[in-house]
Amino acid sequence: MKLIYDYTQEQLIDEFLALGEKKFRATQVFEWIYRKHVNQFSSMNNLSLDLREKLSQTYSIDLLKIKEKQVSQDGTIKYLFELKDGGLIESVLMIHDYGRSLCVTSQLGCNMGCRFCASGLLKKQRNLTSGEMVNQVLTVMHDTNEKVTHVVVMGTGEPFDNYDHVMNFIHIINHPKGLAIGARHLTISTCGIIDKIEMYAHEGIQTNLAISLHAPNDEIRNQLMPINKVYSMDRLREAMKYYIEKTNRRITLEYILLKGVNDQLIHARQLAHYIKGLNAYVNLIPYNAVNEHGYQQSSLKDVESFKNELLRLKINVTQRKEHGRDIDGACGQLRAKKVGESDNANYRKN
Ligand code: SAH
């Protein structure tokens, strides 16, 4: 069965025309779903009973099944959802002073193999469809009875390894007649797939782009992130420059501080040198330790010195606040635990 959430308003119109229905019926359904938050065709009372019946036989409109939900003392909620095919995914809702931000999963597992990350413990089984991403937003809004105001595609998966579905997802939740989540409130985070960064520069949508950099030089980045062996930091820099030129948007560089690995003053200096001339700022991220990997969070003192060195070198820096420390904080941790319990064979050992 097709998933109704897979379609932008324009695509839904095409679907309805193919079904022999009028164009405005598609607009009505889009409105029921995204404006009135209705998740059953039977309640769409400006459609004929026949059409409601036809739609429920053609499309699935079910929200995701909540398998588990952990609520942190700081208000963060971590959801474990079950997809139609039994796949498990996580979404995390964070409450900020500026709004409610949802971290969305883009793939079932991930193949990027970053050494510090819990998501990569389970290899990619498949891409999520646009609708499965939309459904994370809708299910959380339904469960909390509040609007999600910001979305970050930073959950499990590499969004630029699922480019078309992620773009469609962005267009669906950004649509002014739908959830209307503003482009400036949408962020995509990538480990640095450069041809897609360049493609994204032409997408014509003013979202935010974050790059998971995490290292000041190729030697360290090669150790931490296998993708760097395909696209070196020089090439990544070129792609970022291109993106900034084309879009006039500032890029966020994510940098997890790992004790003794990338958190020394010399690294801050190399990082500053790398960033000079790029319209970008560094977001320092506290590491959420993943037992299987053995990396540790940097000491507060080292974090301070690292940050001050960047500031001294006139690099803009922000520091990410930790959310949900008490609830399996790291991306993919809850899922890895659950899938690990039920299917140890799936666990990647390296
Ligand atoms: N594949 C994309 C998006 C998913 S990862 C990317 O690489 O950006 C989202 C962010 O969380 C990345 O910056 C990633 O490096 C970071 N991350 C992964 N594991 C983490 C951990 N254990 N602690 C803190 N940040 C982590």
Side-chain angles (χ1 to χ4, degrees), residues 268-287:
R269 286 176 204 137
Q270 290 170 351
L271 181 63
H273 180 72
Y274 180 76
I275 299 170
K276 270 271 138 52
L278 275 184
N279 184 15
Y281 73 98
V282 178
N283 187 210
L284 295 175
I285 305 177
Y287 182 55

Side-chain angles (χ1 to χ4, degrees), residues 116-117 154-155 157-158 189-191 212 214 254 256 286-288 290 330:
F116 46 81
C117 177
M154 281 193 195
E158 169 47 48
S189 175
T190 176
C191 64
S212 295
H214 307 323
E254 297 162 282
I256 304 176
Y287 182 55
N288 255 311
V290 176

Side-chain angles (χ1 to χ4, degrees), residues 322-337:
E322 271 187 294
H323 289 272
R325 266 225 77 139
D326 48 330
I327 53 164
D328 293 317
C331 311
Q333 259 181 10
L334 177 59
R335 171 169 185 265
K337 217 187 217 170

Side-chain angles (χ1 to χ4, degrees), residues 1-7 12 15-16 18-19 21 41 50-61:
M1 214 191 241
K2 297 172 167 183
L3 178 60
I4 195 83
Y5 306 130
D6 272 332
Y7 306 100
L12 203 60
E15 281 281 311
F16 273 51
L19 285 174
E21 295 295 330
F41 293 115
D50 277 357
L51 178 56
R52 287 184 242 174
E53 185 54 32
K54 182 157 132 192
L55 292 177
S56 30
Q57 278 166 17
T58 316
Y59 300 101
S60 159
I61 192 173

Side-chain angles (χ1 to χ4, degrees), residues 74 94 96 116-118 154 214 253-259 262-263 282-290 295-304 306-307 317-325 328-331 333:
D74 65 18
M94 289 158 289
H96 302 285
F116 46 81
C117 177
M154 281 193 195
H214 307 323
L253 298 173
E254 297 162 282
Y255 196 101
I256 304 176
L257 287 160
L258 300 166
K259 194 186 190 101
N262 63 358
D263 64 348
V282 178
N283 187 210
L284 295 175
I285 305 177
Y287 182 55
N288 255 311
V290 176
Y295 292 109
Q296 286 167 21
Q297 211 173 63
S298 300
S299 69
L300 284 180
K301 189 172 139 281
D302 283 348
V303 174
E304 270 313 291
F306 194 92
K307 185 172 142 193
V317 191
T318 56
Q319 222 170 326
R320 184 180 295 172
K321 230 176 79 190
E322 271 187 294
H323 289 272
R325 266 225 77 139
D328 293 317
C331 311
Q333 259 181 10

Side-chain angles (χ1 to χ4, degrees), residues 94-119:
M94 289 158 289
I95 319 294
H96 302 285
D97 43 11
Y98 56 79
R100 303 165 69 83
S101 171
L102 189 69
C103 178
V104 166
T105 284
S106 60
Q107 296 179 316
L108 198 56
C110 183
N111 277 347
M112 297 301 122
C114 298
R115 293 283 177 255
F116 46 81
C117 177
S119 298

